[in-house]
Amino acid sequence: MTEPVSRELGVALLGMGTVGTEVARILIDNADDLAARVGARLVIRGIAVRDTDKDRGVDPALLTGDAEALIDRDDVDIVVEVMGGIEPTRTHMLRALQAGKSVVTANKALLAEYTGELADAANRARADLYFEAAVAGAIPVIRPLQQSLAGDTVELVAGIVNGTTNFILSNMAEKGEAYETVLAEAGRLGYAEADPTADVEGYDAASKAAILASIAFHTRVKADDVYREGITAVSAADIEAAKAFDCTIKLLAICERFTDAAGEQRVSARVYPALVPLKHPLASVDGAYNAVFVEAENAGRLMFYGAGAGGAPTASAVMGDLVAAARNKVFSGRGPLDSVYANLPIAPIGDVLTRYYVAMEVSDRPGVLSAVANEFSARNVSISTVRQQADLPSSGARLVILTHKAPDAALSATVEALKNLDVVTAVSSVLRLEGTND
């Protein structure tokens, strides 16, 4: 028979939106089980919200509009932050950490900019900072990178880390509809916010890429270090062209360690829509699901897949961190420390080797292909595949070219040169091709 747990650990919950509501529910409904797992009873001391008069399904006495006073209470041991935003959230988290209270957060945007400051505060106070929920909802990614692969060398982390864009691109591929049509449907179904900019322009994924790259490569990477492109320019024609090459299109967050021509190790972090071969594991990740693909020197290839957003999945990740932080309090342990010892230089996008998909409208007459090929050759960019579609409404032709790997700067210069060719009416689409060894 299990002995009753008498010790208590106080939890302050900052925010009670979709995720916060689920966290509170789990803490209340599963109190006995959690106490048995932790070795102490987790008790909500208070919940900081903007509107304390709103019915939130909990004891109204728990609600407070004064987050700082809640954090400062002597009976609060762990602060769970699910309010979002940068300020005053950053100030609240620093206040908690400086007081020696562990912090659990799902705030990707804040972490992408201030992980160093927060980690330093945690280290000085010997407090824990956990953030599994900040990257891919319920999918365990942070902990495997920090702990399971701590003795290995991670070479690549590539993933679909935004459910909204994956829903849009998956439905464009399935239904053959235009981006604007599918975006509207995503809004109706609740997958896209009223202002979807953070998702469709890649800002959300860039924040997550910064966090993943920092952990995987022991190097401080911020959101501004991540090269970013969104999906707004992806067309139905691009989707169909990708199918012809046995590919699909996904918004990828790619974090890569590579050795440059001078023998120096560098880090690349980038987000953009890319062609992905259908045989690659990420190609089959559809709808609002997320997946993160990892390549490590000794472990080889690993993939983590599941629900990347939503109240219950994200709350599951928050609760995993909360239980870990609580156990550390009970047994006088510490969570993984911030590690940026490698301090590798961050490569600009121009230095990264990529493959390109270039679609253009051209004149339908002899010599066009030769003129186009000369522009690629002049910049040492090797062409892999050429497809031509004639009899377009404009009496021209559509030319689609896949390249072999080359420096991104050379490929970009080639595209700019193509735009100035008199035989090229327009360069209609430029995407990268990932997930191949060519």
Side-chain angles (χ1 to χ4, degrees):
M1 183 174 178
T2 304
E3 292 292 325
V5 175
S6 58
R7 179 175 178 178
E8 290 186 354
L9 288 175
V11 178
L13 185 58
L14 307 186
M16 203 176 181
T18 304
V19 177
T21 298
E22 287 296 316
V23 170
R25 179 189 63 77
I26 295 169
L27 281 168
I28 294 168
D29 292 351
N30 298 347
D32 291 340
D33 282 348
L34 291 169
R37 297 173 198 175
V38 170
R41 186 165 292 275
L42 300 177
V43 180
I44 301 176
R45 302 300 188 195
I47 304 172
V49 295
R50 290 190 180 91
D51 183 1
T52 57
D53 294 327
K54 182 179 177 180
D55 182 10
R56 299 179 183 273
V58 297
D59 182 353
L62 290 173
L63 305 179
T64 177
D66 192 341
E68 291 190 354
L70 175 60
I71 292 167
D72 290 344
R73 284 176 53 166
D74 291 337
D75 59 353
V76 166
D77 302 283
I78 303 170
V79 175
V80 177
E81 183 278 307
V82 285
M83 61 192 294
I86 303 298
E87 288 292 358
T89 311
R90 169 180 159 272
T91 300
H92 294 334
M93 291 170 66
L94 284 171
R95 189 183 191 95
L97 291 168
Q98 289 163 356
K101 302 181 181 188
S102 296
V103 169
V104 173
T105 180
N107 196 326
K108 55 190 170 287
L110 189 147
L111 288 167
E113 293 299 325
Y114 296 104
T115 297
E117 181 181 35
L118 295 169
D120 288 345
N123 289 339
R124 285 192 296 269
R126 296 190 60 79
D128 283 335
L129 174 64
Y130 281 102
F131 47 90
E132 182 68 66
V135 171
I139 305 172
V141 176
I142 301 299
R143 194 168 282 110
L145 288 173
Q146 285 183 323
Q147 299 181 33
S148 304
L149 296 173
D152 210 334
T153 300
V154 176
E155 304 290 353
L156 173 73
V157 181
I160 297 165
V161 295
N162 182 273
T164 300
T165 52
N166 202 49
F167 174 85
I168 292 171
L169 293 172
S170 296
N171 276 264
M172 287 177 68
E174 180 182 339
K175 300 177 181 179
E177 294 177 337
Y179 164 79
E180 293 80 4
T181 302
V182 181
L183 174 61
E185 181 184 1
R188 288 193 299 272
L189 295 174
Y191 290 115
E193 301 286 344
D195 180 1
T197 302
D199 294 322
V200 300
E201 294 293 355
Y203 291 102
D204 175 82
S207 293
K208 295 170 181 176
I211 295 169
L212 289 170
S214 296
I215 295 169
F217 307 129
H218 307 282
T219 296
R220 180 70 64 228
V221 180
K222 294 187 175 183
D224 288 345
D225 298 321
V226 181
Y227 177 83
R228 176 193 54 77
E229 292 180 15
I231 67 167
T232 55
V234 177
S235 67
D238 294 328
I239 298 287
E240 288 306 308
K243 291 178 181 178
F245 290 110
D246 293 324
C247 291
T248 188
I249 297 178
K250 300 290 184 182
L251 182 73
L252 297 183
I254 301 171
C255 311
E256 184 178 18
R257 180 204 306 263
F258 69 96
T259 303
D260 63 18
E264 181 182 28
Q265 280 202 343
R266 294 199 281 172
V267 167
S268 166
R270 52 201 195 263
V271 168
Y272 44 61
L275 276 71
V276 180
L278 294 178
K279 62 184 179 181
H280 193 282
L282 289 174
S284 62
V285 179
D286 289 329
Y289 280 85
N290 285 191
V292 178
F293 182 80
V294 178
E295 288 187 9
E297 188 175 274
N298 298 302
R301 294 183 163 193
L302 308 168
M303 192 161 106
F304 306 88
Y305 169 87
T314 305
S316 172
V318 170
M319 287 303 303
D321 282 348
L322 177 53
V323 167
R327 283 173 173 164
N328 289 341
K329 290 284 185 182
V330 171
F331 299 106
S332 301
R334 288 287 309 278
L337 300 179
D338 185 48
S339 173
V340 290
Y341 75 89
N343 195 28
L344 298 174
I346 299 168
I349 188 65
D351 291 352
V352 175
L353 294 178
T354 58
R355 297 186 66 185
Y356 259 56
Y357 153 97
V358 183
M360 66 196 88
E361 310 300 325
V362 299
S363 302
D364 190 9
R365 56 185 172 85
V368 169
L369 183 56
S370 175
V372 168
N374 284 340
E375 297 299 337
F376 284 88
S377 177
R379 292 158 187 83
N380 295 316
V381 177
S382 173
I383 293 175
S384 169
T385 308
V386 179
R387 291 183 184 273
Q388 181 172 335
Q389 177 187 356
D391 300 324
L392 297 182
S394 61
S395 299
R398 176 179 169 85
L399 199 62
V400 177
I401 291 178
L402 290 184
T403 74
H404 290 291
K405 281 188 176 180
D408 200 280
L411 290 162
S412 296
T414 302
V415 170
E416 290 305 310
L418 291 172
K419 293 178 181 177
N420 295 320
L421 276 183
D422 59 358
V423 297
V424 176
T425 306
V427 177
S428 55
S429 187
V430 178
L431 296 169
R432 294 167 182 83
L433 170 62
E434 297 286 352
T436 73
N437 294 319
D438 298 17

